Amino acid sequence: MLSMKNISKVFKTDLVETHALRDFNLAVNEGEFVAVTGPSGSGKTTFLNIAGLLEGFNHGDYFLDGVNISNLSDNKSAAIRNEKIGFIFQGFNLISDLNLAENVEVPLRYRGFNAKERKVRVERALEQVGLAARMKHLPTQLSGGQQQRVAIARALAGEPRFLLADEPTGNLDSLMARQVMELLEDINKAGTTIIMVTHDADLARRAQRNIQIVDGQVCDFSMYQAGENRGKTQSIADAASVA
Amino acid sequence: MLQIRPIISMLMRSKSGPILLLVQIILSVAIVANASFIITERVSLMSRESGIAESEVFDLDIYNFDDGMDPVSQTKRDIEIIRNLEGVKAATVSSMTPLSGGGWASNFSYGTSKEDRVDAANAPLYYGDEQMIATLGLKLIEGRNFYPDEVLTGGSELASLLIVSKAYAQETFGDESPIGKVMYRGEIGNQPMKIIGVVERLQGAWVDNNNLERGMIINVELAAAFNRILVRADEEAIVGLKEAIPAALHKENPNRVVRGFTTISEHRNIVYRDHELMATVLSMMVVLLLLITSLGLAGMVMFNIERRTKQIGTRRALGAKKRDIVSFFLVENYLICITGGVIGGLIAVQLGQQLMALYSLPKLELFYPIATVAGLLVLTTFAVIFPAQKAAKISPATATRSV
Ligand SMILES: Nc1ncnc2c1ncn2[C@@H]1O[C@H](COP(=O)(O)OP(=O)(O)OP(=O)(O)O)[C@@H](O)[C@H]1O
Ligand SMILES: [Mg+2]
């Protein structure tokens, strides 16, 4: 479903070259719930951005759903983001001048759905996150947890195959974080593949599969190996083969 | 995908920014529409043709101080002297100079009796001899010129024949030929004059008077202590004639002052100076207003792009193509522009009515507010599209990277 081989990503500024990812290998299967952890600056967001076609990479091969991502036009990657990928951000990224329904509608408009289809999908998505009653509210009238649920509704409305979440609970207290996590688990059970970056070890543990990114490379801990391998660095080849 | 409805929602919910821009556009449209209307009015006034060979014709005044002088014979001699000078094509004594802002006008009537008297419109009146048409360079389109022996020298009471402009003829007699018609000065029966010719065009002296186009010529060579003379000469000869004419006239009789030598082109510049100034000032104002409005638009867009960097990144992450971002800003500003344009257009019409009453201007044509809004839409496109294209380059990664 998702396969990255020898991906490397270098950020060049005038002063320094940062190797955010180096020889990064990962494969994710359809329906998996992958939690990504790792120290700050290790490359988690970079990985997620590349996975989600938000930024390019310097070397390697990336296939998503059988599509070679290396040489896509800007319009094509926008279309793939729109159709196949749902994003959830740490800061929710709701548009403050739009009400909840209009926020959820944003990607649907880019998809070219007609008004009726959009309405159905917006209502369904907001119902799914339990906020259908507050459609006309502005984001600022909601708590952080509720805002993140709206953002999840926005990600879900287009029925993506993938959900990519960068610290979705990072700005939430633990109760709200648990609710959001439960929502994501439900979504995953319904068949959506989820990759979630988190700093919360407890939340990570609830995921079906844990990978750790250290210094731009993957250390994979599958659930069934969790006991023995925690803390050790697996060889990259092994990590790839496990996936 | 035009996202008009959510953009309207956003505009309605955002605070002062769009309102200020809206007010600016409303004022611009109201002012620019009226100003450009006035400018075109003035320019079209200035570009009316006089029917005269303006650059070849100049006027001069002779003030005679010689008490014993006989005006009739002196005038005949003077005009003869001028006509014989090198470079002079034609010359005539005249009652006034075209486009000079000063001169004679009169009201004629026609009819068979006092009861069925019809008053013709007021008309600028040239007194002149058979060389008047050649001197001004007029085009005779119907009838004939005065014969030399039909022209009498002396006062206005000698007049008996008329050559009228086409404008006057049409206004007075419609499509009927004016040739042979008899006009009276004031009362029916009073000093009858017969129309013998029509010239295509002959403007009078006052460019702001509605009698301007109704020029007419009467068959009298005015002769008095003070004479106004019109001279037509080769353009290159005019400078020399400024010296040669006074010299020749003084040689004939030194007891007088000869002055003037202003071409009709120069008179035109002077007489239209206010119009030209008005048109120039208003044009500058229009350009300035449009410039300020464009800068306002561009500034607003740049400010919004700055403010919405993360939003733009997020929209891109959610599937917006680059052109969606560009059209987002275009639509947003078109909406402001059209709203301001409609309100501004209504105010422009209102303002036009005020100006009409205050300065006796014609009614503002609807074309002007509409053209102004159309022009503003073009300006909006230019002011918005370049910043918007930069906005479209904002990386989708901004969604996760920025705080
Ligand atoms: N646009 C950029 N320009 C230069 N360097 C960058 C850029 N984005 C990221 N980096 C660098 O790349 C490395 C990986 O960054 P990344 O954001 O992926 O880390 P992270 O694991 O998400 O960290 P955190 O847990 O703090 O979010 C860091 O050293 C970071 O400074
Ligand atoms: Mg990060």
Side-chain angles (χ1 to χ4, degrees), chain B residues 82-393:
Chain B
I82 293 172
R83 282 174 183 166
N84 285 331
L85 285 173
E86 177 117 357
V88 173
K89 290 176 172 172
T92 183
V93 179
S94 177
S95 52
M96 64 178 172
T97 307
L99 309 186
S100 64
W104 297 16
S106 194
N107 290 306
F108 286 84
S109 62
Y110 61 95
T112 50
S113 66
K114 281 196 169 106
E115 285 69 46
D116 68 357
R117 160 180 167 173
V118 183
D119 286 314
N122 180 272
L125 212 59
Y126 291 92
Y127 284 83
D129 60 18
E130 74 286 352
Q131 284 209 8
M132 180 58 102
I133 286 181
T135 304
L136 293 180
L138 307 179
K139 194 172 157 203
L140 192 70
I141 56 170
E142 202 184 342
R144 61 171 181 86
N145 193 1
F146 306 129
Y147 298 131
D149 61 5
E150 287 172 337
V151 178
L152 301 173
T153 305
S156 62
E157 71 285 352
L158 302 169
S160 60
L161 299 174
L162 284 174
I163 293 172
V164 299
S165 59
K166 190 171 140 198
Y168 182 81
Q170 275 184 343
E171 240 180 281
T172 313
F173 303 108
D175 289 337
E176 222 180 312
S177 169
I179 302 296
K181 302 260 184 207
V182 176
M183 312 282 294
Y184 302 97
R185 207 175 259 209
E187 289 298 301
I188 298 294
N190 182 24
Q191 206 183 353
M193 294 185 213
K194 195 166 78 180
I195 299 177
I196 59 160
V198 180
V199 289
E200 180 156 62
R201 212 164 238 293
L202 176 55
Q203 290 192 338
W206 307 274
V207 295
D208 293 325
N209 193 311
N210 57 11
N211 73 9
L212 179 68
E213 303 290 342
R214 299 188 201 123
M216 55 167 63
I217 310 166
I218 289 179
N219 63 327
V220 171
E221 179 178 53
L222 289 173
F226 160 79
N227 280 334
R228 163 78 46 95
I229 295 176
L230 297 177
V231 180
R232 177 149 177 218
D234 295 322
E235 258 177 85
E236 312 80 61
I238 292 177
V239 178
L241 287 170
K242 283 182 184 177
E243 310 282 324
I245 291 175
L249 289 175
H250 282 133
K251 201 170 148 205
E252 212 281 324
N253 181 349
N255 286 332
R256 46 209 191 155
V257 172
V258 180
R259 28 171 290 193
F261 302 96
T262 312
T263 63
I264 309 300
S265 307
E266 286 161 345
H267 279 298
R268 165 182 285 277
N269 288 340
I270 295 165
V271 84
Y272 281 117
R273 189 178 286 156
D274 287 352
H275 293 282
E276 196 172 345
L277 188 71
M278 175 76 106
T280 313
V281 169
L282 287 180
S283 304
M284 272 156 43
M285 202 173 81
V286 164
V287 169
L288 213 68
L289 265 175
L290 292 179
L291 196 74
I292 291 171
T293 307
S294 315
L295 288 177
L297 273 162
M300 183 77 189
V301 174
M302 287 190 248
F303 169 73
N304 274 332
I305 289 167
E306 198 73 27
R307 197 168 61 98
R308 294 178 186 151
T309 304
K310 188 174 181 182
Q311 183 192 130
I312 294 164
T314 304
R315 284 178 180 275
R316 292 279 283 134
L318 297 177
K321 299 184 167 74
K322 282 181 174 163
R323 63 163 182 270
D324 292 322
I325 302 299
V326 174
S327 78
F328 174 82
F329 283 102
L330 277 177
V331 169
E332 181 179 38
N333 288 285
Y334 283 154
L335 285 172
I336 296 176
C337 188
I338 290 169
T339 311
V342 170
I343 301 174
L346 292 175
I347 294 179
V349 171
Q350 204 59 40
L351 185 67
Q353 258 148 18
Q354 305 284 331
L355 289 173
M356 203 166 83
L358 273 176
Y359 301 105
S360 62
L361 284 170
K363 189 171 186 289
L364 175 71
E365 285 164 35
L366 226 52
F367 166 80
Y368 289 88
I370 293 170
T372 306
V373 176
L376 218 53
L377 282 175
V378 174
L379 269 184
T380 304
T381 309
F382 280 105
V384 172
I385 201 147
F386 298 108
Q389 274 169 347
K390 254 177 88 185
K393 292 205 182 90

Side-chain angles (χ1 to χ4, degrees), chain A residues 1-2 4 47-55 62-65 67 69 72 76-89 107-108 111 151-166 192-195, chain B residues 314-320 400:
Chain A
M1 170 114 252
L2 173 151
M4 287 184 176
F47 154 65
L48 212 62
N49 281 355
I50 292 172
L53 278 57
L54 297 183
E55 62 195 13
Y62 172 26
F63 286 86
L64 179 70
D65 216 10
V67 179
I69 300 303
L72 284 184
K76 189 78 181 118
S77 17
I80 293 181
R81 288 197 294 271
N82 187 244
E83 283 168 34
K84 296 195 176 173
I85 305 170
F87 288 97
I88 303 166
F89 309 97
L108 303 180
R111 186 84 155 262
I152 293 172
R154 179 177 65 186
L156 287 181
E159 296 178 337
R161 312 271 307 272
F162 283 95
L163 216 51
L164 300 180
D166 195 356
T192 310
T193 311
I194 298 182
I195 302 176
Chain B
T314 304
R315 284 178 180 275
R316 292 279 283 134
L318 297 177
T400 52

Side-chain angles (χ1 to χ4, degrees), chain A residues 49 74 81-82 97 102 109, chain B residues 1 9 13 316 318 400:
Chain A
N49 281 355
D74 192 81
R81 288 197 294 271
N82 187 244
D97 292 331
E102 288 163 341
R109 280 185 175 265
Chain B
M1 204 54 254
S9 305
R13 287 183 193 122
R316 292 279 283 134
L318 297 177
T400 52

Side-chain angles (χ1 to χ4, degrees), chain A residues 11-13 16 18-21 38-47 55 90 166-167 197 199 213, chain B residues 401:
Chain A
F11 290 107
K12 280 196 186 115
T13 58
V16 284
T18 310
H19 292 261
L21 294 181
S40 185
S42 59
K44 302 182 297 296
T45 297
T46 306
F47 154 65
E55 62 195 13
Q90 178 173 359
D166 195 356
E167 302 187 33
V197 169
H199 273 127
I213 296 179
Chain B
R401 295 286 185 200

